Amino acid sequence: MTAPLKHSAAITVDVALGDRAYDIMIGRGVLDTLGTRVAALRPGVRTAIVTDRTVAKHWLEQTERSLAEAGIATSRVIVEEGEVSKTYAGLEKVSEALIAAKIERNDLVIALGGGVVGDLAGFAAAILRRGVDFVQVPTSLLAQVDSSVGGKTGINSPQGKNLLGAFHQPVLVIADTSVLDTLSPRQFRAGYAEVAKYGALGDEAFFTWLEANHADIFSGGAAREHAIATSCRAKAAIVSRDERENGERALLNLGHTFGHALEAATGFSDRLFHGEGVSVGMVLAAEFSAKLGMISEADATRVERHLASVGLPTHLQDIAGFAQEGLADADALMALMAQDKKVKRGKLTFILLQAIGRAVVANDVEPALVRDFLQQKLSG
Ligand code: GLY
């Protein structure tokens, strides 16, 4: 694509799931249409907005105003920011608040926030009165292109991330691209790793377009909407074919086997955001694919160059506190990967590349090969 893009009023992406199909609305200002869309979808509905303190400061008033102008009654549930809320305690707080707000079977929960709020509020909705519908209003780039779409909801167990949850599809996703203007550059970059992931796993032309247009995406130009819509279309297509991850949905985990181990090694802390772990993990997956002779060294380098060009970490050594115990240790990283959901009977599952734009699920990877590879990267 060479002609400059223009901002469009709104882009609609359909998630084709039969009687559970829903729309993703993408564009600058679409948050203001939330009320009329909800009223059209569910006349007379009551709603409860679940959000966190930071998002509430920026976007709660505007969200409530949109609902009020459409005559929709609403209450609010505000949780602490971050993974601390994606816990049994956080779920109890949200569930009890929804019951106290008298949210009933035909009402709607509205998840206003990033991935944590979407996963938590979606799971609370899934179990409240055995299932209440919910709307996703994602406010981070990562949530707009990944976690708000596809119905994965849940909380963490002290024994691991996302170990409790449900597939519960939203009835509507409102992705207002202007809300991303208040994200820190680091948070925006971390979300961008998931955008690049869609190019790397299934769409070489999109990856090439990102290489040329990433500056406009970061500055909030029309390329941002195009990138988010392309990412959502890619995810919607995969989810509509494999909602419960029995096959190709696993491709969306490109970079995540390595990435989750790195997140665990850094204590799921601010040392490494999820998207940053995915960035390093994606480069490792590309380099591992090259080591196995599946792609050329040049293709692996191309993945690394693009992610590095937007300022994402791409090497283990880029991670804050790299030299600390657990991160610079191949055996410790292997142990963390062995605890992941992606292990079956001792063999690791990786998403590997056959080309940029063509990923495959490899579910019989010998741990010894991965260990040697990591050892080489750590000493390199
Ligand atoms: N984030 C990966 C998925 O939704 O399947």
Side-chain angles (χ1 to χ4, degrees), residues 6-13 23-34 37 59 62 136-141 144-145 148 172-181 220-230 232-233:
K6 293 201 177 81
H7 288 291
S8 44
I11 302 170
T12 307
V13 175
D23 285 340
I24 309 167
M25 307 302 308
I26 301 157
R28 285 199 161 259
V30 291
L31 181 56
D32 290 333
T33 68
L34 174 70
R37 288 180 202 281
W59 304 113
Q62 190 178 335
Q136 287 272 20
V137 184
T139 58
S140 69
L141 179 58
Q144 293 195 351
V145 298
S148 70
L172 175 70
V173 180
I174 297 284
D176 189 328
T177 53
S178 66
V179 309
L180 306 180
D181 294 343
R224 181 182 287 182
E225 281 129 59
H226 177 73
I228 293 170
T230 305
C232 287
R233 267 187 217 108

Side-chain angles (χ1 to χ4, degrees), residues 6 9 25 27-28 42 50 77 79 84 92 111 114 132 164 198 215 232 244 281 294 309 311 325 335 344 358 362:
K6 293 201 177 81
M25 307 302 308
R28 285 199 161 259
R42 295 288 157 85
V50 181
V77 182
V79 300
V84 68
E92 181 179 358
V132 169
L164 298 137
Y198 291 106
C232 287
R244 300 234 158 193
M294 295 172 63
S309 74
E325 196 184 341
K344 282 204 185 102
R358 197 163 71 242

Side-chain angles (χ1 to χ4, degrees), residues 57-334:
K57 243 187 282 160
H58 292 293
W59 304 113
L60 183 55
E61 230 176 83
Q62 190 178 335
T63 306
E64 287 177 332
R65 195 181 329 118
S66 172
L67 292 163
E69 282 171 4
I72 295 167
T74 191
S75 51
R76 40 162 87 171
V77 182
I78 301 178
V79 300
E80 294 301 321
E81 196 176 340
E83 296 283 325
V84 68
S85 286
K86 226 180 114 171
T87 54
Y88 286 108
L91 181 66
E92 181 179 358
K93 176 176 172 170
V94 172
S95 302
E96 291 301 323
L98 294 174
I99 294 167
K102 301 197 169 23
I103 294 299
E104 295 175 355
R105 255 303 185 41
N106 295 327
D107 293 332
L108 278 180
V109 172
I110 296 178
L112 172 70
V116 165
V117 165
D119 285 7
L120 172 65
F123 189 38
I127 58 176
L128 178 68
R129 303 183 197 275
R130 297 204 176 91
V132 169
D133 285 342
F134 82 117
V135 173
Q136 287 272 20
V137 184
T139 58
S140 69
L141 179 58
L142 189 130
Q144 293 195 351
V145 298
D146 185 34
S147 59
S148 70
V149 176
K152 282 188 180 174
T153 69
I155 59 168
N156 303 326
S157 143
Q159 299 183 64
K161 260 198 108 152
N162 298 329
L163 290 183
L164 298 137
F167 284 99
H168 187 51
Q169 298 292 342
V171 294
L172 175 70
V173 180
I174 297 284
D176 189 328
T177 53
S178 66
V179 309
L180 306 180
D181 294 343
T182 57
L183 292 180
S184 71
R186 186 180 168 201
Q187 270 177 326
F188 191 91
R189 263 199 309 275
Y192 182 84
E194 299 276 5
V195 175
K197 181 189 80 174
Y198 291 106
L201 77 86
D203 188 345
E204 204 260 345
F206 182 49
F207 193 86
T208 304
W209 181 83
L210 290 172
E211 287 173 315
N213 291 280
H214 60 81
D216 196 32
I217 296 171
F218 278 78
S219 66
R224 181 182 287 182
E225 281 129 59
H226 177 73
I228 293 170
T230 305
S231 302
C232 287
R233 267 187 217 108
K235 180 152 188 184
I238 290 176
V239 166
S240 65
R241 291 190 295 261
D242 179 25
E243 183 182 6
R244 300 234 158 193
E245 200 169 308
N246 295 314
E248 72 169 310
R249 185 164 181 171
L251 297 177
L252 299 173
N253 294 329
L254 175 63
H256 285 60
T257 308
F258 287 119
H260 276 167
L262 298 173
E263 279 184 87
T266 47
F268 298 103
S269 67
D270 282 0
R271 279 170 64 197
L272 189 71
F273 288 171
H274 173 72
E276 294 171 335
V278 169
S279 175
V280 178
M282 226 175 345
V283 173
L284 288 171
E287 289 173 339
F288 189 53
S289 304
K291 186 179 161 79
L292 298 178
M294 295 172 63
I295 58 168
S296 64
E297 294 286 349
D299 276 345
T301 303
R302 190 175 158 202
V303 173
E304 192 279 329
R305 288 249 166 91
H306 178 54
L307 296 170
S309 74
V310 303
L312 278 163
T314 54
H315 294 112
L316 294 163
Q317 289 79 353
D318 296 339
I319 300 170
F322 165 75
Q324 285 172 15
E325 196 184 341
L327 202 49
D329 177 340
D331 290 317
L333 290 175
M334 290 303 294

